[in-house]
Amino acid sequence: MEDIEDMFAGGAGGAPPGFRLPLNAVGVNPKRNTSKRSISKQKDEVTDSNRDSLAPPSMKIPGTQTIYIKTFGCSHNQSDSEYMAGQLTAFGYGLTEVPEDADLWLINTCTVKSPSQSAMSTLITRGRSGKKPLVIAGCVPQGSRDLKELEGVSVVGVQQIDRVVEIVEETLKGHEVRLLNRKTLPSLDLPKVRRNNFIEILPVNVGCLGACTYCKTKHARGHLGSYTVESLVERVRTVISEGVKEIWLSSEDTGAYGRDIGVNLPILLNAIVKELPSDQSTMLRIGMTNPPFMLEHLKEIAAVLRHPCVYTFLHVPVQSGSDAVLTAMNREYTSGEFRTVVDTLTELVPGMQIATDIICGFPGETDEDFSQTVGLIKDYKFAQVHISQFYPRPGTPAAKMKKVQSKIVKQRSRELTCVFEAFAPYTGMEGKEERIWITEIATDGVHLVGHTKGYIQVLVSGPESMLGTSAIARITSVGRWSVFGEVIETLASTNVVTQVREETKPACTSDVSTCETCACFAESCCGEGKSGEACNISGDITGQDHKTGEKSMTKEEEKQEVVSHWGLVDKALVCGVFVSSLTILVLIISIASRVLLRQ
């Protein structure tokens, strides 16, 4: 059968993103699956599902059933799940966290490591046993269409999330739906149900420009595809108006952003920070960035990280401290270049925190190679290091390389973990007062979770009403993974604005990429003779008397000020109203005169 994507009634138009299409509009011709066929020979299609693996088609009205959504993997996957949940609820479907209560399971998968894919397989088996209709989304079906576990279930690709409603409807009717092919990005304006109301995970691009020999994600997410700066900035405006307090930029490689559309990451970051509230009520977190694209823009990115509304935190995976291993991985940088990234950001950004990743036991890794990795971690004593053993992913070049013995891989992983866990990165913070942004409830159900500007996790006690607020906390004790504090002051937005203005020092330019140090961050910059002006990186604090915080204007000036802000459309509307009123008046006079003449 032909691909559903090519069978829209009326050609390529179809329905707007997020709107479902009836079965006949999609061009589906359901038929009973009477013979065994290899999944590899099937294209995107809809067929009757295996009667033994799925429950009978639901007799309920579409949009009245309950859906269970399970997400594996990265923040990009989490964002996709939130978009799918938003579309489903917009059409009346209910959501539940109890699998047994659901009419259908939607499983969003991850293909980075074998354990996550194994967990997916276990969940699919469990769903089949419970006669639950299944829809499998994410990187596994997109990157491994031939997988045996996907036989007899519906699948949706990573760029087809705006079609989830129709896929769920058809699956509930007992059909097997496969939607994997597409060349356009899903809209950022789709309905969304956030897991955390205060955190927006914003995908800036899909795919990457790399070709790492161990990576399966490239098979699923594909080549780099970036959203436009304008669409991302508009999304930022929208989520801020909705009360979001943290914006996470997410992608497979944030540093590669825009290279396919003629822009770059600093251009995007400068555009976004101009939209962030000047009272620092909404913070920006820059997503994972590989070293090669950081090297070209280190100073510009450092300037953005110094902005008051941007966390001074960055995730930069190194994977190995050995150049020989990095070459085998095809990582396109050296350990020395990674050190340059870390050293430069640490020097230019006060309080900079960097997290990194390590793969232990990559094929061909020698004892000397591993020793260089341990040395790198010891040199920098990173507060966060994600350590994993090498897992060969099917279809990748590394899967064909000669493997390191399993016991050696496990031994190296344990050794590096011991080295890392011996660090005490937060020693010395006791007694300090830090501004924190509180957005979550801790897993212990007792504390609230806040983060410092360096994205250090601070656990505090307080009512849930403090979620979404900013506060000053005094650090009372430190642990290995987080610190504990007590809130000594909750910051109101208006007070923060006044505070920023009062602490303003010599001004800096409105372009973050050209400003080495921001006055709003209590450091001088950009020359002398401008001490009376505000630092206007966010574009919000301008044109005011900084002694009073107000600008004195007469009533006549206020009227002129209002008129001067009228746009072309406003003026056209006023002219239209005037002309219409004049026309009506003329008609009334004409009719009245005719009546009088007849009398």
Side-chain angles (χ1 to χ4, degrees):
M1 184 176 228
E2 294 183 43
D3 180 16
I4 287 179
E5 195 66 35
D6 300 326
M7 299 181 63
F8 279 114
F19 287 82
R20 59 187 172 185
L21 291 168
L23 186 59
N24 55 3
V26 179
V28 176
N29 182 22
K31 60 182 179 180
R32 187 177 303 277
N33 188 8
T34 57
S35 61
K36 293 184 179 180
R37 294 182 298 171
S38 171
I39 292 296
S40 63
K41 295 180 180 179
Q42 296 179 7
K43 295 185 178 180
D44 293 354
E45 60 183 353
V46 177
T47 64
D48 283 347
S49 60
N50 190 315
R51 301 285 181 179
D52 294 329
S53 61
L54 292 180
S58 173
M59 300 303 292
K60 296 181 181 179
I61 298 173
T64 62
Q65 295 88 343
T66 302
I67 312 298
Y68 167 67
I69 301 178
K70 174 64 177 179
T71 305
F72 295 97
C74 64
S75 60
H76 197 162
N77 258 22
Q78 181 60 45
S79 177
D80 286 350
S81 289
E82 291 175 355
Y83 272 123
M84 290 189 284
Q87 294 169 83
L88 290 167
T89 57
F91 282 104
Y93 289 98
L95 301 178
T96 180
E97 295 183 0
V98 182
E100 291 73 21
D101 293 345
D103 297 301
L104 177 144
W105 291 6
L106 172 58
I107 305 172
N108 197 0
T109 61
C110 173
T111 190
V112 172
K113 300 178 182 178
S114 297
S116 60
Q117 188 163 325
S118 297
M120 174 211 74
S121 300
T122 301
L123 195 58
I124 290 176
T125 301
R126 179 182 165 194
R128 282 192 167 117
S129 299
K131 303 296 183 183
K132 298 291 185 181
L134 301 174
V135 175
I136 312 301
C139 292
V140 171
Q142 190 73 63
S144 304
R145 304 187 185 196
D146 299 350
L147 205 62
K148 185 177 180 180
E149 288 90 333
L150 301 179
E151 194 168 355
V153 301
S154 293
V155 298
V156 53
V158 294
Q159 293 186 34
Q160 295 277 14
I161 60 173
D162 55 356
R163 304 277 298 279
V164 67
V165 172
E166 59 192 280
I167 294 167
V168 165
E169 286 189 354
E170 296 308 321
T171 303
L172 285 168
K173 293 175 184 177
H175 303 133
E176 177 190 338
V177 185
R178 300 179 63 82
L179 285 174
L180 295 169
N181 296 334
R182 191 173 189 170
K183 296 182 180 179
T184 58
L185 298 175
S187 171
L188 294 172
D189 296 328
L190 294 170
K192 194 171 191 180
V193 174
R194 300 184 187 93
R195 184 178 60 176
N196 185 322
N197 290 333
F198 300 109
I199 297 176
E200 166 71 8
I201 304 172
L202 180 59
V204 298
N205 56 262
V206 299
C208 68
L209 294 175
C212 300
T213 55
Y214 57 84
C215 183
K216 184 72 174 177
T217 306
K218 181 64 176 280
H219 296 186
R221 295 283 181 177
H223 198 66
L224 182 68
S226 303
Y227 287 96
T228 64
V229 173
E230 293 76 15
S231 65
L232 291 165
V233 169
E234 183 58 36
R235 181 64 182 172
V236 167
R237 293 192 189 112
T238 299
V239 301
I240 290 175
S241 70
E242 294 173 349
V244 162
K245 300 303 179 184
E246 282 187 11
I247 300 173
W248 298 359
L249 301 186
S250 178
S251 81
E252 284 64 56
D253 186 357
T254 307
Y257 169 79
R259 290 171 179 263
D260 56 319
I261 57 174
V263 294
N264 56 42
L265 182 60
I267 291 174
L268 173 65
L269 296 177
N270 281 315
I272 288 177
V273 296
K274 290 178 182 178
E275 303 298 329
L276 300 177
S278 58
D279 62 2
Q280 298 173 255
S281 58
T282 300
M283 296 293 287
L284 178 70
R285 194 184 85 172
I286 303 174
M288 188 273 288
T289 303
N290 284 312
F293 303 114
M294 285 288 293
L295 289 166
E296 299 179 34
H297 306 291
L298 275 175
K299 289 187 176 181
E300 293 92 335
I301 292 175
V304 174
L305 289 165
R306 286 196 301 270
H307 188 280
C309 298
V310 180
Y311 286 119
T312 53
F313 168 84
L314 206 57
H315 178 195
V316 187
V318 62
Q319 306 300 5
S320 176
S322 163
D323 288 346
V325 174
L326 291 174
T327 299
M329 292 178 170
N330 197 29
R331 290 289 290 171
E332 300 179 341
Y333 59 85
T334 64
S335 60
E337 289 172 329
F338 172 79
R339 289 175 181 268
T340 297
V341 170
V342 176
D343 292 342
T344 303
L345 292 178
T346 302
E347 177 184 355
L348 296 180
V349 184
M352 185 69 201
Q353 295 285 320
I354 293 177
T356 194
D357 299 346
I358 295 292
I359 297 176
C360 290
F362 189 81
E365 182 185 66
T366 64
D367 289 340
E368 175 58 27
D369 293 327
F370 177 67
S371 176
Q372 291 174 16
T373 298
V374 174
L376 176 70
I377 299 303
K378 284 183 176 179
D379 287 346
Y380 290 100
K381 294 181 170 60
F382 297 107
Q384 296 183 44
V385 180
H386 308 116
I387 302 170
S388 64
Q389 300 174 29
F390 170 73
Y391 293 101
R393 306 302 295 131
T396 63
K400 300 177 181 178
M401 298 179 183
K402 185 177 181 180
K403 298 176 181 59
V404 178
Q405 291 183 19
S406 178
K407 65 177 183 180
I408 295 177
V409 174
K410 292 178 180 179
Q411 177 186 342
R412 289 174 180 173
S413 177
R414 286 193 295 267
E415 180 181 340
L416 186 59
T417 299
C418 289
V419 169
F420 164 61
E421 291 183 347
F423 301 154
Y426 306 131
T427 299
M429 288 188 67
E430 297 96 331
K432 288 187 176 181
E433 294 183 2
E434 297 277 353
R435 180 171 181 173
I436 62 173
W437 288 263
I438 303 170
T439 56
E440 300 177 76
I441 299 175
T443 54
D444 62 9
V446 176
H447 294 90
L448 302 179
V449 179
H451 290 93
T452 68
K453 192 175 187 298
Y455 212 68
I456 297 171
Q457 182 174 271
V458 183
L459 301 179
V460 296
S461 297
E464 289 187 21
S465 59
M466 291 184 65
L467 290 171
T469 66
S470 182
I472 302 297
R474 181 181 293 112
I475 307 303
T476 56
S477 62
V478 301
R480 175 60 186 86
W481 313 109
S482 58
V483 302
F484 290 85
E486 58 179 1
V487 174
I488 59 177
E489 179 186 0
T490 301
L491 300 177
S493 298
T494 53
N495 294 337
V496 177
V497 174
T498 304
Q499 180 183 3
V500 170
R501 288 173 181 163
E502 290 176 350
E503 293 181 356
T504 299
K505 293 189 177 182
C508 71
T509 65
S510 61
D511 184 359
V512 178
S513 66
T514 60
C515 180
E516 287 298 322
T517 309
C518 176
C520 295
F521 197 57
E523 296 185 33
S524 62
C525 68
C526 301
E528 301 176 355
K530 299 181 182 179
S531 59
E533 301 176 11
C535 173
N536 188 33
I537 287 179
S538 65
D540 288 324
I541 310 177
T542 55
Q544 292 187 331
D545 184 338
H546 292 279
K547 294 181 180 179
T548 64
E550 299 178 354
K551 185 173 181 178
S552 177
M553 298 176 68
T554 65
K555 290 185 177 180
E556 186 62 31
E557 288 175 332
E558 289 177 355
K559 291 179 181 178
Q560 293 176 356
E561 180 73 11
V562 171
V563 174
S564 67
H565 285 299
W566 286 7
L568 181 61
V569 174
D570 299 315
K571 294 177 181 178
L573 287 172
V574 172
C575 291
V577 171
F578 177 75
V579 171
S580 299
S581 301
L582 186 60
T583 302
I584 293 171
L585 181 61
V586 170
L587 287 172
I588 292 173
I589 294 173
S590 176
I591 293 170
S593 62
R594 289 182 181 181
V595 171
L596 290 174
L597 287 173
R598 288 178 182 177
Q599 291 177 351

